[in-house]
Amino acid sequence: MASPDRMTSRISEFDLIARIRARVAARDDVRVGIGDDAALTAPPPGRWLAIAMDTLNVGVHFPDDTAAADIGWKALAVNLSDLAAMGAEPAWCTLSLSLPNAEAAWLDGFLDGFLELASRHRVALIGGDTTRGPLSICVAVHGFVDPQGALRRDAARVGDDVWVTGTLGDAAAALHEWRAGGARSEALRARLDRPTPRVAAGRALGGLAHACIDLSDGLLADLGHVCRASRVGTEIALTHLPLSSTLSIAHPPALTQRWQTAGGDDYELCFTAPRTARLAIEDAMSVCDTPATRIGRIVAGSGEVVVRDAEGELWTPTEQGYSHFVE
Amino acid sequence: MASPDRMTSRISEFDLIARIRARVAARDDVRVGIGDDAALTAPPPGRWLAIAMDTLNVGVHFPDDTAAADIGWKALAVNLSDLAAMGAEPAWCTLSLSLPNAEAAWLDGFLDGFLELASRHRVALIGGDTTRGPLSICVAVHGFVDPQGALRRDAARVGDDVWVTGTLGDAAAALHEWRAGGARSEALRARLDRPTPRVAAGRALGGLAHACIDLSDGLLADLGHVCRASRVGTEIALTHLPLSSTLSIAHPPALTQRWQTAGGDDYELCFTAPRTARLAIEDAMSVCDTPATRIGRIVAGSGEVVVRDAEGELWTPTEQGYSHFVE
């Protein structure tokens, strides 16, 4: 850990930028990186550019006891997850940090998490800014996608299977445990603090899947976006929803089912694909070491998301997902 | 103005995004805009992509009585100013809005200013997010620049003239008047709230100017960045610094000189160019209706910025510019 001296070390804005710049990795397609008015990059010919931007605010998007390194990881992860949902290959990112004060140790920790994830996906940090203000982290990411391989929300078709990667509900369970203040599982908390953006899976699904979305607001809410955009409906089998063994042991089904369907922050991919692609999808997911489960199918409709229980009866969720402004 | 009903109208996050989406202009090179996990765009072949990102926080970057429309304008303007400083042609932007609450009238006002400026420069708003939090606006902008026309901070050469566009110090004067709480000039306040990004001038300078920077932190501080990056020094003539008639009438020279040299928020361009380009630069600035003034020259050195008064004596500034974290 940082020495007491470093913990209280305040640094100027210019030193702060220099501290970031010193740790940033290079990429051949970055012509001018941090340190000018704008970054200059050379996009590859013939590919589209995927651009996403997401902000994390303290107390809204992460508990206030979250470690700096985890905040750094998550700020980039939620953005890479958006690129994954488009089937894009990540390339560059910019970072805007609003900090109540500029502590060297906090910044170093933040960069540890942020740059560790950036390095795994060969993402170069090319610019941004630092300002004084309540803790807030805004990240924009840029990636490349072949025009024929882009995954969109509005491409689901009647008869498609509905799939999800990984397991559902762990992050919501961790948030519940944190709020309740009782026993807490470190494994669940890691899922909340260090989500895994499914970048390799998203890229592998280009040309195989029809529609795709990443699960940030909860399965039912996010599937609702896909169904409305695609002008279809969907039927989901409650018992098919993937569940981690940690979660199944730690909490009763009444809670785990609520978190699997309506909990946010999973950052798994939910995608639809024709039945004929089942084997190809299983192969592709196996190659990139990403579990994927069929959880239902796309039906005719206009945005309806229906969940059926083990007996085939309609199951009514207790919440419909997460919206920042609805209290 | 908005009716009392609209003033207190709270809207959900999804309605808020729908409200933004309904007002956004199209561009042929935007393949997928607002409403998916990421935007998809088709960059033009053979050009570089310029990417900048800047955040505005209430109380730090604008007075807390600033009108919503002016905040919207300024949030985009400071970013377009960064593209201008690279000589880039603006194309797309993303917007992350953190709002303490979601009021329809505030959002509509914000969009009035933001989209008015976007429309003038044919910039398409292609994505971003809305979150709950203290008022903060993060914008990322993307533009195109020819590799041989890109303006950088590190390209100033000994013997270059130093130029600035427009006039200096008005925005700092407005901030001073606002803080002092006495008589206030609307013309000065407009320069603080609605800066003019010098986009046409920046593009016209590609191939003519050597180095360029936009003036956000104050002339001396920003020229210092150019000189350190270029490993040169500069000598500036205090009496050559352009001054608006409004400012010269409203305040005494001791104050105006301080604001011209150390005040922030002007968003004029400061650039260096060889003496042989003087006529071409005057022609180019005339074509894009942007006043430009020669204020000094680049000399051998290692980052020194020297100011001389009317008698040629060294003039010592009282402040060196603005840094968010130095109090």
Side-chain angles (χ1 to χ4, degrees):
Chain A
M1 294 295 294
S3 71
D5 232 310
R6 275 179 76 211
M7 282 299 290
T8 55
S9 161
R10 299 284 177 100
I11 49 182
S12 77
E13 184 182 4
F14 300 124
D15 292 341
L16 199 149
I17 293 170
R19 215 170 178 98
I20 295 173
R21 196 175 175 180
R23 294 183 57 179
V24 164
R27 267 181 70 106
D28 286 346
D29 55 8
V30 178
R31 298 295 189 262
V32 175
I34 294 174
D36 214 309
D37 291 286
L40 296 179
T41 62
R47 305 186 80 185
W48 284 352
L49 198 66
I51 304 173
M53 184 189 218
D54 257 325
T55 296
L56 298 189
N57 291 330
V58 63
V60 178
H61 298 96
F62 51 87
D64 56 16
D65 64 354
T66 307
D70 292 337
I71 296 173
W73 173 287
K74 189 166 183 175
L76 183 58
V78 302
N79 278 280
L80 292 180
S81 182
D82 282 326
L83 291 187
M86 306 303 287
E89 173 192 352
W92 320 304
C93 67
T94 55
L95 164 67
S96 174
L97 260 181
S98 291
L99 300 174
N101 45 54
E103 278 176 10
W106 191 93
L107 181 72
D108 290 343
F110 177 90
L111 289 177
D112 287 345
F114 190 95
L115 296 177
E116 181 187 341
L117 184 60
S119 162
R120 289 191 192 186
H121 295 283
R122 293 196 59 244
V123 174
L125 176 59
I126 57 171
D129 72 340
T130 60
T131 59
R132 195 176 50 192
L135 181 57
S136 177
I137 304 108
C138 181
V139 174
V141 287
H142 305 78
F144 315 134
V145 64
D146 295 324
Q148 64 278 17
L151 303 171
R152 305 168 52 137
R153 291 184 181 182
D154 61 3
R157 295 180 209 166
V158 173
D160 276 0
D161 294 321
V162 178
W163 300 70
V164 291
T165 60
T167 60
L168 301 178
D170 287 352
L175 193 61
H176 168 88
E177 291 180 350
W178 179 78
R179 284 186 177 138
R184 299 178 195 182
S185 155
E186 279 185 30
L188 295 178
R189 179 66 190 250
R191 290 268 290 162
L192 177 66
D193 288 344
R194 295 226 170 194
T196 303
R198 297 294 191 182
V199 173
R203 292 182 64 188
L205 289 170
L208 288 176
H210 284 158
C212 188
I213 192 169
D214 76 320
L215 299 178
S216 54
D217 295 338
L219 176 67
L220 302 190
D222 289 320
L223 252 180
H225 297 322
V226 169
C227 288
R228 279 191 298 279
S230 302
R231 299 167 194 272
V232 296
T234 186
E235 288 199 3
I236 299 301
L238 186 65
T239 54
H240 289 197
L241 300 184
L243 179 69
S244 73
S245 55
T246 312
L247 183 54
S248 73
I249 292 167
H251 294 281
L255 286 174
T256 59
Q257 287 170 355
R258 194 171 79 190
W259 295 327
Q260 286 177 293
T261 51
D265 269 352
D266 282 324
Y267 298 102
E268 297 293 349
L269 296 182
C270 177
F271 58 96
T272 83
R275 292 169 59 95
T276 51
R278 284 182 185 177
L279 280 179
I281 286 172
E282 282 166 7
D283 283 351
M285 295 300 98
S286 170
V287 166
C288 60
D289 204 18
T290 305
T293 309
R294 274 186 286 120
I295 61 169
R297 61 198 180 98
I298 297 294
V299 297
S302 51
E304 303 82 3
V305 179
V306 167
V307 183
R308 296 198 183 275
D309 64 17
E311 285 75 42
E313 299 295 315
L314 275 185
W315 180 83
T316 309
T318 48
E319 352 176 356
Q320 274 289 356
Y322 180 70
S323 170
H324 297 300
F325 285 115
V326 177
E327 313 203 14
Chain B
M1 294 295 292
S3 72
D5 231 309
R6 276 178 74 212
M7 282 298 291
T8 56
S9 161
R10 299 284 177 99
I11 49 183
S12 79
E13 184 182 4
F14 300 124
D15 291 343
L16 199 148
I17 293 169
R19 214 170 179 98
I20 295 173
R21 196 175 175 180
R23 294 183 57 178
V24 165
R27 267 181 72 106
D28 286 348
D29 55 9
V30 178
R31 299 294 190 262
V32 174
I34 295 173
D36 214 310
D37 291 286
L40 295 179
T41 63
R47 305 186 79 185
W48 285 352
L49 198 66
I51 303 174
M53 184 188 218
D54 257 326
T55 295
L56 298 189
N57 291 330
V58 64
V60 179
H61 299 96
F62 51 87
D64 56 16
D65 65 353
T66 308
D70 292 336
I71 296 172
W73 174 287
K74 189 166 183 175
L76 183 57
V78 302
N79 278 280
L80 292 181
S81 181
D82 283 326
L83 291 188
M86 306 302 288
E89 172 193 353
W92 321 304
C93 68
T94 54
L95 165 66
S96 175
L97 260 181
S98 290
L99 300 174
N101 45 53
E103 278 176 11
W106 191 93
L107 181 72
D108 290 344
F110 177 89
L111 290 176
D112 287 345
F114 190 95
L115 296 177
E116 181 187 341
L117 185 59
S119 162
R120 289 191 193 186
H121 294 283
R122 293 196 60 244
V123 174
L125 176 60
I126 57 171
D129 71 341
T130 60
T131 60
R132 194 176 50 193
L135 181 57
S136 177
I137 304 107
C138 181
V139 174
V141 287
H142 304 77
F144 315 133
V145 64
D146 295 326
Q148 64 277 19
L151 304 171
R152 306 168 52 138
R153 291 184 180 182
D154 61 4
R157 296 180 209 166
V158 172
D160 277 0
D161 295 320
V162 178
W163 300 70
V164 291
T165 60
T167 60
L168 301 178
D170 287 351
L175 193 61
H176 168 88
E177 291 181 351
W178 179 78
R179 284 185 176 138
R184 299 178 193 182
S185 155
E186 279 184 30
L188 295 178
R189 179 66 190 250
R191 290 267 290 161
L192 178 66
D193 289 344
R194 295 227 170 196
T196 303
R198 298 295 191 181
V199 173
R203 293 182 63 189
L205 290 171
L208 289 176
H210 284 158
C212 188
I213 193 169
D214 77 320
L215 298 179
S216 55
D217 295 338
L219 175 68
L220 301 190
D222 288 321
L223 252 180
H225 297 321
V226 169
C227 289
R228 279 191 299 279
S230 302
R231 300 167 193 273
V232 295
T234 185
E235 287 199 3
I236 299 301
L238 186 65
T239 54
H240 289 198
L241 300 184
L243 179 68
S244 73
S245 55
T246 312
L247 183 53
S248 72
I249 291 167
H251 294 281
L255 285 174
T256 59
Q257 287 171 355
R258 194 171 79 191
W259 295 327
Q260 285 177 293
T261 52
D265 268 354
D266 282 325
Y267 298 101
E268 297 294 349
L269 296 183
C270 177
F271 57 96
T272 82
R275 292 170 58 95
T276 51
R278 283 183 185 178
L279 279 179
I281 286 172
E282 282 167 6
D283 282 352
M285 295 299 98
S286 170
V287 166
C288 60
D289 205 19
T290 304
T293 308
R294 273 186 288 120
I295 61 170
R297 62 197 180 99
I298 297 294
V299 297
S302 51
E304 303 81 3
V305 180
V306 166
V307 183
R308 297 198 182 274
D309 64 18
E311 285 75 41
E313 300 295 316
L314 275 186
W315 179 85
T316 309
T318 49
E319 348 176 359
Q320 272 290 354
Y322 180 70
S323 172
H324 297 300
F325 286 114
V326 176
E327 313 204 15

